[in-house]
Structure formats: C-alpha cells, structure tokens
Amino acid sequence: MTDQDPTDDRKYRAPALEKGLDVLELLSAQGEPMTPSQMSAMLGRSVSELFRMIQVLEFRGYIEQSPDGYRLTNRLFTLGMTQAPIKSLVDVAMPAMRDLASATRQSCHLVVPSGDQIVVIARIESPGDLGYSVRIGYRRSILHATSGLMFYSRSNPRARKHLHDSLVSLFGDADVAEFAGRAMAMTRGAHVERASDFVVGVTDLVAPIMGSDGVIATLITPFIEQASMVCTKAEAATLLVQTAGDISEQMGAVSQA
C-alpha cells in the first residue's frame, strides 16, 4: 500500500515530513485541541502513522498536550514574527498603539490575515482598571471576524479573488456571497463598528492599515462602555482611524487624496 498520488509528479517527496505538516495544518485549521484519534479520522491516516509525528512535534515545541488533546503552541507564530515585513509592521505600530491605548483608556490589537484566517500579532492592554483583550497568536476565520470585512473589501482585486475562492472552498458560495455583501456594505467608511459576538458590552472598532498594494493589517479597539470614560465611543473611533492612518503612512500606503 502506498500514499503516493499518481497525479503527483514532484521529483522529490518526504512522506514523514508531509505527515507532520498535515498535523500542523489540521490543528491550525480546526483552532481547537484534537486527540490523535480525531486527527487520524480527519487526515485519513492511522493513529500509528501519526504517533511518531505527534511525539516529534511535541518534543520540538510546535504542539503541546492539553486536557482536550493536542494544540498548537506559539512556536510557529514566533518564527513567522521574525520575518522582516511583519517585524517592521509591529515595530512601527507598537508606539502608536501605546499612544492610542493611553488616549482612549481601552486596549487595542494589531491583526493580520493568514490564509483564510486572521491572527493577532500584537496587543496593548488597557492602562485603566477595566479592559478586554485576546492573546497574541489568537486565530479566527476571516469569514467570522470583524477584521475579515476589511481584509476582504480593502484588498486589491487579485488578493480579493484569491481570498474569495479560498473561502468558497471552505464555506460554500452562499455563505461567502452573504459575507462579501456585508463586507462591501459595512466598510464604506473609515472604520467598522460591530458588537462583539464573544463578550456582551464590547463593541469592536476596526480600522484598516494600508500598504502600497492594499490592506496589510487592521487595528482594533474592543471598546468597553464604562461609568466613567476618558472618551466616548465616537471619539475612540476617530482616534483609532487617525492611528491606523499614521501607521499606514509609515508602511508606504498610497495617499487617496
């Protein structure tokens, strides 16, 4: 019995490596811990085939055990963060994000697209007593994320088509058509405002960070209504848009003026 695909005409193959990559890609796509049996069923491979791969990936720190199964660590994320474009974006954004958090007394997040998902690559906690934030490395499907609306509508045509096709393969034409319609309708202004579907009382304020060829990231303020506030939600949105614009300028965005 062989795993070789008769239509695969590659000159070189490394079956063991590909099994390990299959495990990493599956855990990333699922976004939640999985047992070896669950991985086996999803990948169409026996548990014994995957056992050695899982052990090596755990030993090298790419995955870890949790009460519900194996999950990704931040090791891949950390490796990706060392790449020059991402590192440059974080270096540029962090001082501006600190100023934004200080002015609004709210936390903020820097988010980039990663395939069909969004990933949080930097955050600044609220300097006040109350705030809401998610961990660095947090991922979610673009189709279900507020940032996803910006990543879809503000992409250049080539990138948008690629994202559209990728989402259709995962979610089907109907869901993606509904998402695309919302994206185009909700992102006509400088920012998107949408109630969080995770936490009651939190409103996601999202502004795009543009590069020379379309959107490269989003800046998010998860706004919390408080009894005593330094600025209103509308004021926080204005500051968010200004900050995203400043970062965009430093990242080489083409002026729309």
Side-chain angles (χ1 to χ4, degrees):
M1 182 177 178
T2 178
D3 292 334
Q4 185 172 321
D5 183 344
T7 64
D8 188 342
D9 60 356
R10 288 175 297 165
K11 185 176 180 180
Y12 301 108
R13 298 179 181 84
L17 174 60
E18 293 188 354
K19 290 175 188 176
L21 293 174
D22 285 344
V23 170
L24 293 176
E25 291 174 356
L26 177 63
L27 290 176
S28 175
Q30 293 299 305
E32 57 186 23
M34 298 184 71
T35 66
S37 295
Q38 290 171 324
M39 289 185 241
S40 170
M42 291 289 290
L43 294 174
R45 297 182 182 275
S46 68
V47 173
S48 60
E49 275 187 281
L50 298 179
F51 178 78
R52 195 181 311 176
M53 307 305 132
I54 292 171
Q55 295 302 305
V56 171
L57 289 171
E58 183 180 17
F59 177 77
R60 295 296 295 267
Y62 288 96
I63 64 176
E64 63 185 4
Q65 289 194 62
S66 75
D68 299 316
Y70 289 92
R71 62 188 177 193
L72 290 178
T73 66
N74 276 340
R75 182 165 174 76
L76 280 173
F77 173 78
T78 302
L79 291 175
M81 286 287 289
T82 63
Q83 298 303 301
I86 293 296
K87 188 174 182 180
S88 174
L89 172 60
V90 174
D91 289 343
V92 167
M94 286 297 280
M97 291 171 65
R98 289 191 186 96
D99 290 344
L100 176 64
S102 177
T104 62
R105 309 299 287 180
Q106 305 275 346
S107 61
C108 59
H109 304 102
L110 182 65
V111 171
V112 296
S114 176
D116 61 291
Q117 299 180 326
I118 60 100
V119 57
V120 176
I121 64 170
R123 71 178 182 184
I124 298 293
E125 300 281 358
S126 166
D129 295 329
L130 184 64
Y132 170 74
S133 64
V134 296
R135 62 178 174 81
I136 293 175
Y138 168 79
R139 289 175 174 268
R140 194 179 188 196
S141 168
I142 279 179
L143 194 75
H144 302 128
T146 306
S147 284
L149 302 170
M150 282 295 185
F151 287 133
Y152 187 89
S153 70
R154 300 297 175 89
S155 293
N156 64 56
R158 182 189 67 258
R160 186 185 303 141
K161 183 180 186 309
H162 178 77
L163 176 58
H164 183 276
D165 293 345
S166 176
L167 291 174
V168 166
S169 69
L170 292 170
F171 300 102
D173 288 307
D175 285 352
V176 176
E178 192 273 335
F179 165 77
R182 278 191 294 114
M184 293 307 186
M186 292 179 66
T187 59
R188 291 172 182 165
H191 79 285
V192 170
E193 182 175 318
R194 190 170 77 164
S196 170
D197 53 6
F198 281 131
V199 182
V200 176
V202 173
T203 301
D204 291 332
L205 305 177
V206 181
I209 294 174
M210 307 299 290
S212 60
D213 192 28
V215 63
I216 58 173
T218 58
L219 192 59
I220 304 175
T221 292
F223 189 88
I224 296 179
E225 297 282 355
Q226 303 176 44
S228 177
M229 295 192 297
V230 171
C231 67
T232 66
K233 184 163 59 179
E235 291 168 338
T238 297
L239 290 170
L240 175 76
V241 170
Q242 291 173 351
T243 303
D246 291 342
I247 298 171
S248 297
E249 184 175 348
Q250 294 184 69
M251 295 305 295
V254 177
S255 174
Q256 299 299 310

